[in-house]
Amino acid sequence: MKAILPVLALFLTISGSAQTLRKRTTLLMGSRFDISISARDSLTAEQCIDTVIAEISRIENLISDWKSDSQISEVNENAGIRPVKVDKEVFELTKRALHLSKISHGAFDVSFAAMDRIWKFDGSMTEMPGPEQIKRSVEKIGYKHIILDSLNGTIYLERKGMKIGFGALGEGYAADQCRAVMIKKGIPAGIVNGSGDMSTWGKQPDGKNWSVAITNPFHKDKFFALVPLPVNSAIVTSGSYEKFVIFNGTRYSHIINPVTGYPATGLCSVTVIGPSAEMANGFSTTIMVLGQEAGLKLLKNFPEFRCILFTDTGKFISSDNLSKKTIKSWQANRPK
């Protein structure tokens, strides 16, 4: 349901300040993670990167629905059978994902992992699946059948065949958790980027804010704007300009609506900026599915988050709390 696109480019500057910036790229949670740490010396920075990797691995072992021994896999294996007791951390993450499922009326659905993968976006699909096939593909999805018992700390999926999965939402959560761990350790600045789910804290060694360039999805060799991120913030982009199909003149995204089983249409990309990569991730996916009007209406209830949308026709739209003046200043500083 969620796709993170390589439309966010991180711009780093290194000066002769007292802080040293170290970077490392690795594969975690089935995705690429780029980790940048600013610390007093290289050894400290490298040790912190090791700590970040260990934290992401710890979270993956708890919530991955691909690892047979994870707590989420145990929940899925016992769908329609019995409730499963999980760690508080897993319970709370599921609770937040379930809340997002409810307020979006299923446009985001944490049980999307049970969806049949009938849509192909690798060039092999020559015709649309039939209506009945599409209907059957989402029969096992349904957040309303997820029962959370806060007293006993259990998760129960009422229907056999149901599954919950966090996908890229889990990457956003992991990025946020790593930021919290680093701040607690007194590390002044850094950024954890899980395939486009960026969680940042502090500033670069030269004192400037972390800056992220957003690519224009219709001109992938050009940047739309260079966004200076506030201290302790996150930015996430969801989109479909690299994976989509066109049937009868309609452009179908590879982000699927879990309610209808049909791909999202109308929007090409959504970039969300706010305090949490986990929530920004959830909102970017949700807005792609809901579309411009309903998506922006939902985000209005969360004023700490802002967004930029690109429609399928190439038009860009911003949320109400992101002024045209701000966007123009971002565009004025974009890389040439």
Side-chain angles (χ1 to χ4, degrees):
M1 184 173 71
K2 176 67 169 69
I4 302 299
L5 299 179
V7 299
L8 300 179
L10 179 65
F11 280 77
L12 307 176
T13 56
I14 304 175
S15 68
S17 67
Q19 296 297 319
T20 297
L21 182 67
R22 302 294 292 178
K23 297 184 288 180
R24 197 186 307 172
T25 297
T26 187
L27 185 66
L28 296 161
M29 303 181 86
S31 299
R32 170 175 166 163
F33 270 79
D34 296 289
I35 305 162
S36 303
I37 298 290
S38 178
R40 63 179 179 270
D41 55 64
S42 296
L43 178 60
T44 301
E46 290 291 349
Q47 289 174 338
C48 287
I49 292 175
D50 290 338
T51 300
V52 166
I53 291 173
E55 176 66 4
I56 297 169
S57 298
R58 181 191 69 80
I59 293 170
E60 180 179 14
N61 289 331
L62 283 176
I63 69 171
S64 173
D65 57 320
W66 293 98
K67 290 182 175 289
S68 60
D69 57 349
S70 74
Q71 293 187 10
I72 290 301
S73 288
E74 185 179 359
V75 170
N76 293 340
E77 288 167 5
N78 285 280
I81 301 173
R82 65 174 179 86
V84 173
K85 186 173 180 59
V86 297
D87 289 359
K88 182 179 180 181
E89 179 180 12
V90 176
F91 186 91
E92 292 299 324
L93 176 60
T94 306
K95 184 178 178 180
R96 292 194 299 274
L98 186 57
H99 177 66
L100 181 57
S101 303
K102 290 176 179 176
I103 65 174
S104 68
H105 301 289
F108 175 92
D109 195 317
V110 69
S111 66
F112 78 97
M115 182 185 299
D116 293 336
R117 311 299 177 182
I118 61 172
W119 295 89
K120 307 295 182 184
F121 299 91
D122 56 4
S124 64
M125 190 165 61
T126 58
E127 60 181 10
M128 290 181 62
E132 285 302 314
Q133 187 182 11
I134 293 171
K135 183 179 178 180
R136 288 195 303 271
S137 72
V138 295
E139 283 181 344
K140 296 175 184 177
I141 298 174
Y143 68 90
K144 294 180 181 179
H145 297 280
I146 301 173
I147 308 301
L148 302 184
D149 184 340
S150 57
L151 185 63
N152 295 304
T154 60
I155 303 172
Y156 178 50
L157 310 182
E158 290 185 313
R159 294 175 171 178
K160 277 188 173 294
M162 282 188 70
K163 294 179 181 179
I164 58 175
F166 297 103
L169 190 76
E171 294 166 14
Y173 170 69
D176 288 341
Q177 284 298 106
C178 291
R179 176 176 65 187
V181 168
M182 291 294 101
I183 290 174
K184 188 175 181 180
K185 286 175 67 69
I187 301 305
I191 183 163
V192 179
N193 175 9
S195 295
D197 285 29
M198 295 187 184
S199 189
T200 75
W201 70 100
K203 296 186 177 184
Q204 298 185 65
D206 64 356
K208 294 181 180 179
N209 285 33
W210 300 109
S211 294
V212 175
I214 303 174
T215 298
N216 185 327
F218 292 92
H219 301 281
K220 291 182 279 186
D221 57 337
K222 297 180 180 179
F223 292 116
F224 168 73
L226 183 64
V227 181
L229 298 179
V231 174
N232 298 353
S233 62
I235 182 168
V236 174
T237 290
S238 296
S240 64
Y241 72 84
E242 290 190 337
K243 291 184 179 181
F244 61 91
V245 292
I246 298 177
F247 290 121
N248 300 320
T250 300
R251 188 176 184 278
Y252 293 95
S253 160
H254 71 305
I255 297 176
I256 309 297
N257 184 332
V259 177
T260 65
Y262 283 85
T265 60
L267 295 177
C268 183
S269 74
V270 178
T271 297
V272 178
I273 306 163
S276 161
E278 175 193 334
M279 290 301 295
N281 184 298
F283 286 138
S284 64
T285 302
T286 301
I287 294 170
M288 279 290 297
V289 172
L290 287 177
Q292 174 188 332
E293 185 177 347
L296 290 177
K297 184 178 179 180
L298 174 64
L299 198 67
K300 217 170 187 179
N301 298 314
F302 301 87
E304 66 272 31
F305 289 89
R306 303 174 290 172
C307 77
I308 295 173
L309 320 176
F310 277 91
T311 69
D312 283 347
T313 59
K315 182 181 179 182
F316 88 83
I317 299 152
S318 62
S319 54
D320 291 345
N321 57 356
L322 193 53
S323 69
K324 291 182 179 179
K325 182 179 180 181
T326 298
I327 293 175
K328 285 182 179 179
S329 70
W330 290 353
Q331 290 180 307
N333 294 316
R334 62 189 166 193
K336 305 302 180 184

